[in-house]
């Protein structure tokens, strides 16, 4: 209790920062669920590939703690683009290989889940075996900075965050602010995209009734592709923010974050974009408060207990409205 | 539109007089498998008895999870929590705090796991469909975190020295001189089976050296559970499960107390998971939280769905496949998880009904094919 009161602002702000990363990843789950009604279990690997794309760009540019502010901003922007492109690409391949054949055959939902689990294993292992693959094609030495010790933690050397101003007794850093702002901007952009654009309208139409949408001339295959691409871009941005904040990744770093993000999506009401934001932020803050109250080793338990409690009282999440029913 | 419905199941059923000896032979073969060392099936890179133990315990788990997923239609992604619960109850009772004999701890482990199934199921089974999946996943993770952070349960260091079941006649210290009698293994030389008197398995001797008695133990448990599964599936309970799975609201309206039956399926599945976990604990003699990751839960679900959700033989086959493949090809150790993931995807795509779909699914497919043919003929 003492810790919670003592560092209330710090816990809340860092919770919001982590929560906005959860929220961005949660969008990928919620979009795919909204359109296809299936849990894209491999989305955590889409995120993980994004973290590596960002890390590789920074390694290629030779980022170090001494890098100047403007150079670093440039690197982060290029890294973000690379991460978004990588994640979107992986999501697109995932859709093509693991889901489309199943959707075409109208396979049971449970089978799609198995395919997703298989894809998740395969993608995570592919990253863990990149040293072996590079050696097999004879590029082991050339790619050494990117592939060596494939299964270990991959750490970036970044300059320390700079404190900007103080809330309570917590010094808010430029990185905290960047993450919060970037996440909010992306969420807002997505909300406008889904509500205002043609593709967004098609997505909502397919989510509500795929057959009627098809009769109205909506190409559902393309809509599904777009859904995966957009979810991938969001995961790529989330990967960038995660790397800027924590600077480390691993071939299995997506797993826990993916579970948390999915928890956030379910908490807010899966299939609901604003629910994902709300769920992510609540989850991030609740984790921090909970770990201050009962000890940091129980952090993840707090998240899951909170999820169960929310679902008991609101069985379809906090804002249990689906993508299809979102107002135009 | 007239459709000739397939009235009989595909394949001719065997007459009852022929079925009994065939079943007896199959059971005998299952028991003899580790002694026969049949070429190609045996695992050159790891102990075959241990591999068979893993296969049988996965089959047991899949059989239990099949009740939850296949019969009652509840997607449980936290099944590993029950497996852990069985293993830890055994560990605590036999090694960590008390020194009970294994066969006294086993029923307690099953009861505790069943109780935990009721405790976890009672609040969560009101949540439906995919929400249930994530809630159970959360519970599986909670159980792992609780055992990691509770010093009373050994914490992250785990529990050591879990005793094996007692050997008969009792251990006299010298492990080589106990056991009822010895059975020699077969050895294959150029395709010719030879009796290898140098390598023998002592019946009813449980030790770290030979996994085969543990395999026999878990195989016996598997057969007992299988018989119980057949009896309960063919009873009113089994039909209530299927009705709930097909249409929960309709079942409720027809007077089936669906919640009660879902809870029953959940806790029975949990108990079988606990049984398998207890066997695992006594075989390994060491357990720690890192064994009970969510990934294991995903493997269990994969076993059930791959085998053909709702078909007990399919579930057993799925469990064996999921356990056996990575161990058989341990030589490719670096690549096997990658190939396993790809194989899961391939099977899901090309065999969406599972390796052995239940009879009802096959019948539905046949009817659908007929309807389609009729439509084409009409057009």
């Amino acid at each position: 209790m003492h810790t919670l009161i003592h560092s209330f602002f710090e816990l809340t702000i860092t919770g919001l920062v982590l929560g906005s990363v959860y929220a961005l990843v949660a969008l990928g789950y919620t979009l795919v669920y909204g359109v296809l009604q299936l849990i894209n279990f491999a989305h955590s690997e889409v995120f993980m590939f994004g973290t590596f794309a960002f890390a590789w760009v920074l390694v290629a540019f030779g980022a170090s703690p001494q890098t100047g502010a403007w150079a670093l901003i440039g690197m982060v922007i290029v890294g973000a683009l690379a991460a978004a492109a990588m994640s979107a690409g992986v999501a697109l391949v995932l859709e093509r290989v693991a889901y489309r054949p199943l959707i075409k055959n109208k396979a049971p939902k449970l089978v799609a889940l198995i395919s997703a689990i298989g894809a998740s294993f395969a993608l995570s292992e592919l990253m863990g075996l990149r040293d072996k693959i590079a050696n097999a094609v004879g590029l082991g030495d050339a790619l050494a900075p990117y592939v060596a010790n494939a299964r270990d933690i991959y750490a970036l050397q970044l300059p320390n965050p700079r404190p900007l101003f103080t809330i309570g007794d917590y010094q808010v850093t430029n990185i905290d602010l960047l993450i919060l702002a970037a996440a909010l901007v992306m969420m807002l952009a997505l909300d406008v995209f889904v509500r205002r654009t043609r593709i967004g309208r098609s997505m909502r139409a397919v989510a509500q009734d795929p057959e009627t949408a098809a009769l109205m001339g909506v190409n559902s295959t393309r809509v599904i592709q777009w859904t995966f691409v957009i979810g991938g871009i969001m995961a790529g941005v989330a990967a960038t923010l995660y790397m800027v904040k924590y600077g480390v990744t691993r071939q299995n770093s997506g797993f826990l974050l993916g579970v948390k993000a999915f928890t956030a999506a379910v908490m807010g009401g899966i299939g609901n974009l604003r629910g994902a934001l709300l769920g992510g932020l609540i989850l991030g803050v609740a984790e921090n408060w909970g770990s201050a109250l009962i000890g940091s080793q129980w952090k993840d338990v707090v998240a899951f207990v909170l999820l169960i409690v929310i679902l008991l009282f609101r069985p379809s999440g906090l804002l249990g409205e689906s993508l299809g029913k979102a107002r135009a | 539109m007239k459709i000739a419905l397939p009235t009989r199941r595909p394949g001719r059923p065997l007459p009852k007089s022929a079925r009994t000896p065939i079943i007896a032979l199959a059971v005998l073969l299952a028991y003899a498998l580790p002694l026969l060392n049949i070429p190609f099936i045996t695992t050159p890179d790891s102990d075959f008895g241990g591999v068979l133990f893993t296969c049988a315990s996965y089959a047991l788990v899949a059989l239990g999870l099949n009740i939850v997923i296949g019969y009652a239609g509840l997607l449980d992604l936290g099944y590993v929590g029950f497996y852990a619960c069985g293993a830890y109850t055994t560990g605590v009772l036999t090694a960590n705090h008390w020194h009970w004999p294994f066969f006294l701890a086993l029923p307690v482990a099953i009861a505790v796991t069943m109780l935990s199934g009721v405790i976890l199921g009672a609040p969560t089974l009101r949540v439906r469909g995919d929400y249930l999946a994530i809630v159970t996943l959360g519970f599986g993770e909670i159980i792992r975190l609780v055992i990691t952070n509770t010093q009373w349960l050994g914490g992250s260091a785990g529990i050591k020295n879990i005793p094996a079941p007692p050997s008969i006649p009792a251990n006299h210290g010298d492990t080589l001189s106990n056991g009822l009698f010895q059975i020699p293994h077969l050895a294959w030389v150029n395709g010719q089976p030879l009796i290898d008197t140098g390598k023998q398995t002592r019946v009813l001797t449980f030790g770290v050296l030979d996994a085969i008695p543990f395999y026999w133990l878990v195989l016996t448990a598997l057969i007992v559970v299988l018989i119980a599964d057949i009896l309960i599936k063919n009873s009113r309970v089994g039909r209530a499960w299927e009705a709930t799975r097909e249409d929960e609201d309709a079942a409720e309206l027809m007077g089936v107390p669906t919640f009660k039956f879902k809870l029953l399926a959940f806790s029975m599945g949990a108990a079988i998971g606990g049984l398998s976990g207890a066997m695992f604990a006594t075989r390994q003699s060491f357990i720690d939280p890192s064994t009970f990751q969510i990934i294991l839960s995903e493997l269990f679900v994969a076993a059930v769905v791959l085998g053909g959700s709702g078909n007990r033989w399919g579930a057993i086959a799925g469990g064996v496949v999921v356990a056996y493949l990575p161990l058989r090809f341990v030589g490719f150790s670096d690549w096997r998880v990658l190939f396993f993931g790809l194989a899961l995807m391939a099977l899901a795509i090309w065999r969406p009904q599972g390796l052995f779909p239940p009879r009802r699914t096959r019948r539905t497919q046949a009817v659908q094919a007929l309807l389609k043919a009729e439509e084409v003929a009409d057009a």
Side-chain angles (χ1 to χ4, degrees):
Chain A
M1 189 52 104
H2 180 253
T3 336
L4 180 58
I5 296 168
H6 193 70
S7 43
F8 179 79
F9 289 104
E10 176 175 357
L11 291 169
T12 310
I13 292 165
T14 50
L16 287 174
V17 168
L18 184 59
S20 46
V21 176
Y22 288 157
L24 281 179
V25 181
L27 285 175
Y29 286 103
T30 225
L31 276 171
V32 169
Y33 191 89
V35 172
L36 288 174
Q37 266 81 50
L38 64 84
I39 305 174
N40 179 11
F41 247 86
H43 192 64
S44 50
E45 269 56 49
V46 171
F47 167 84
M48 182 271 290
F49 269 77
T51 60
F52 273 97
F54 179 80
W56 291 336
V57 167
L58 263 72
V59 170
F61 283 138
S64 74
Q66 282 76 44
T67 310
W70 289 107
L72 193 70
I73 289 170
M75 287 178 198
V76 168
I77 289 172
V78 178
L81 290 176
M86 171 73 105
S87 290
V90 173
L92 207 56
V93 171
L94 188 67
E95 189 270 336
R96 182 70 192 81
V97 176
Y99 293 120
R100 200 185 296 173
L102 293 167
I103 297 163
K104 212 183 274 169
N105 294 341
K106 295 198 169 62
K109 293 267 140 59
L110 207 52
V111 177
L113 186 74
I114 299 303
S115 183
I117 290 171
S120 168
F121 281 1
L123 284 172
S124 161
E125 279 301 302
L126 204 61
M127 192 52 91
L129 290 170
R130 61 187 196 280
D131 52 345
K132 300 248 159 36
I133 295 168
N135 284 333
V137 295
L139 290 171
D141 293 332
L143 296 176
Y146 307 99
V147 299
N149 305 326
R151 281 177 189 272
D152 294 343
I153 290 177
Y154 200 84
L156 284 180
Q157 301 284 310
L158 293 175
N160 288 327
R162 199 154 47 85
L164 291 179
F165 53 88
T166 316
I167 296 180
D169 47 10
Y170 177 64
Q171 295 195 315
V172 180
T173 64
N174 49 358
I175 286 177
D176 294 334
L177 217 57
L178 165 81
I179 292 176
L180 278 173
L184 282 176
V185 167
M186 289 307 287
M187 295 287 306
L188 220 60
L190 182 66
D191 203 60
V192 171
F193 180 84
V194 169
R195 287 187 310 140
R196 294 285 160 82
T197 63
R198 213 180 147 75
I199 297 164
R201 197 172 345 137
S202 316
M203 277 165 65
R204 280 182 290 130
V206 175
Q208 194 146 36
D209 187 342
E211 283 176 10
T212 313
L215 289 176
M216 297 294 169
V218 176
N219 181 345
S220 70
T221 311
R222 266 193 52 205
V223 170
I224 291 168
Q225 276 182 331
W226 269 104
T227 310
F228 274 85
V229 167
I230 294 166
I233 291 173
M234 293 294 162
V237 175
T240 304
L241 301 179
Y242 179 87
M243 288 306 282
V244 169
K245 174 84 181 166
Y246 298 101
V248 291
T249 185
R250 248 184 115 164
Q251 134 263 2
N252 60 0
S253 68
F255 181 74
L256 188 63
L257 197 119
V259 171
K260 291 285 185 59
F262 187 62
T263 303
V266 172
M267 215 181 254
I270 190 164
N272 184 321
L273 298 181
R274 291 167 191 184
L277 176 66
L278 185 68
L281 295 180
I282 289 179
L283 192 67
V285 173
E287 269 188 8
N288 271 2
W289 287 356
S291 58
L293 270 179
I294 57 173
S296 60
Q297 73 271 34
W298 299 103
K299 188 175 176 182
D300 299 337
V301 176
V302 171
F304 294 121
V305 169
L306 184 70
L307 169 79
I308 290 159
V309 170
I310 287 179
L311 286 184
L312 282 183
F313 292 102
R314 289 194 63 93
S316 50
L318 288 171
L319 312 177
E321 199 183 14
S322 73
L323 185 65
K325 292 185 193 110
R327 310 264 181 283
Chain B
M1 187 164 63
K2 272 189 298 180
I3 296 168
L5 285 175
T7 48
R8 222 161 39 80
R9 61 171 163 157
R12 200 182 308 158
L14 288 161
K16 206 158 196 174
S17 56
R19 223 185 304 170
T20 320
I22 286 183
I23 291 174
L25 258 169
V27 170
L28 200 67
L29 181 70
Y31 275 99
L33 209 52
L35 305 174
L36 297 180
N37 282 321
I38 300 165
F40 188 72
I41 300 179
T42 46
T43 45
D45 303 311
S46 44
D47 172 37
F48 190 48
V51 171
L52 281 175
F53 172 84
T54 311
C55 289
S57 55
Y58 269 56
L60 187 58
V61 165
L63 202 56
L65 192 55
N66 183 46
I67 294 178
V68 184
I69 294 182
Y71 297 167
L74 308 164
L75 182 50
D76 183 356
L77 282 178
Y79 201 67
V80 70
F82 299 128
Y83 191 67
C85 188
Y88 264 82
T89 312
T90 311
V92 166
L93 289 178
T94 62
N96 201 4
H97 291 281
W98 294 281
H99 297 282
W100 294 20
F102 174 72
F103 284 108
L104 194 59
L106 183 66
V108 178
I110 295 171
V112 168
T113 316
M114 194 165 198
L115 191 69
S116 73
V118 174
I119 294 170
L120 303 193
T124 49
L125 288 177
R126 295 176 200 284
V127 178
R128 283 190 187 181
D130 297 327
Y131 287 90
L132 182 65
I134 186 70
V135 171
T136 49
L137 191 138
F139 261 132
E141 203 46 17
I142 288 175
I143 289 185
R144 190 180 67 80
L145 292 164
V146 166
I147 57 181
T148 311
N149 292 318
T150 309
Q151 285 314 311
W152 190 78
L153 293 171
S156 53
I159 298 177
K160 282 193 289 281
N161 301 327
I162 298 168
S167 302
I168 297 170
N171 256 323
H172 297 298
D174 179 7
T175 46
L176 286 176
S177 67
N178 53 41
L180 277 184
F181 52 88
Q182 303 184 2
I183 307 181
H185 292 214
L186 282 187
W188 295 75
V189 180
N190 301 327
Q192 290 292 315
L194 293 171
I195 291 175
D196 180 1
T197 46
K199 201 177 174 194
Q200 308 210 0
T201 287
R202 285 155 201 273
V203 176
L204 291 175
T205 300
F206 297 92
V208 283
L209 294 175
D210 197 350
I212 293 172
F214 287 99
Y215 164 67
W216 285 332
L217 181 68
V218 74
L219 184 62
T220 311
L222 179 68
I223 290 170
V224 171
V225 170
L226 188 60
I227 292 168
D229 181 84
I230 291 172
L231 291 177
I232 205 159
K233 175 74 192 307
N234 291 336
S235 73
R236 232 175 56 100
V237 177
R239 279 200 299 281
W241 282 339
E242 286 197 285
T244 311
R245 179 190 68 200
E246 292 304 322
D247 191 333
E248 194 168 340
D249 296 319
E252 188 75 52
L253 286 173
M254 297 304 285
V256 178
T258 54
F259 180 73
K260 222 175 79 185
F261 280 108
K262 286 200 294 187
L263 196 57
L264 182 69
F266 204 69
S267 53
M268 281 190 59
I272 297 171
L275 169 67
S276 190
M279 301 275 181
F280 172 78
T282 187
R283 158 81 179 98
Q284 285 319 98
S285 91
F286 168 70
I287 47 174
D288 72 337
S290 69
T291 317
F292 305 102
Q293 307 274 0
I294 286 296
I295 205 162
L296 200 58
S297 256
E298 295 178 0
L299 275 184
F300 293 159
V301 174
V304 172
V305 178
L306 281 185
S309 170
N311 181 349
R312 61 179 76 87
W313 304 107
I316 291 174
V320 171
V321 165
V322 165
Y324 178 76
L325 282 184
L327 292 170
R328 174 66 180 83
F329 299 105
V330 97
F332 302 88
S333 56
D334 286 336
W335 304 89
R336 71 199 159 112
V337 182
L338 177 63
F339 285 127
F340 182 71
L342 294 175
L344 275 188
M345 284 164 71
L347 270 168
I349 288 164
W350 284 302
R351 194 86 190 152
Q353 261 65 41
L355 295 171
F356 304 97
R359 206 178 297 153
R360 184 160 301 156
T361 313
R362 284 201 304 249
R363 224 183 294 162
T364 320
Q365 280 176 335
V367 172
Q368 275 166 353
L370 269 175
L371 278 169
K372 200 160 189 186
E374 199 83 8
E375 257 173 50
V376 173
D378 283 350

